[in-house]
Amino acid sequence: MEYLSIRQAADKWGISIRRIQVLCAEGRIPGAMKIGSYWAIPADAEKPDDQRVKSGKYIKTKEQ
């Protein structure tokens, strides 16, 4: 099985290196392994869906 580095996966998926580190740490990329201080991502892994809130619905507002 071939593996990609975080930088290679970032270029392939068009997202930041830090975002991929977070996805790996959360276990959202199946088959990703941590080897020492580096993440190894399977070359055939699919980009996970973005589940962050974008609507602003949960942003706290100051009540008066």
Side-chain angles (χ1 to χ4, degrees):
M1 178 179 273
E2 290 190 31
Y3 291 94
L4 301 174
S5 69
I6 288 181
R7 184 175 306 274
Q8 292 168 329
D11 291 339
K12 178 180 175 183
W13 294 339
I15 57 178
S16 70
I17 293 171
R18 180 63 185 140
R19 184 71 187 140
I20 293 182
Q21 290 172 335
V22 169
L23 292 171
C24 289
E26 291 177 348
R28 298 210 19 232
I29 300 177
M33 301 183 302
K34 191 162 189 176
I35 302 171
S37 61
Y38 299 98
W39 284 98
I41 301 167
D44 59 351
E46 296 292 323
K47 177 182 174 184
D49 294 332
D50 191 358
Q51 297 178 347
R52 295 176 291 176
V53 175
K54 295 179 182 159
S55 66
K57 180 179 177 182
Y58 300 105
I59 296 175
K60 293 182 180 180
T61 58
K62 187 175 182 179
E63 296 180 20
Q64 295 183 1

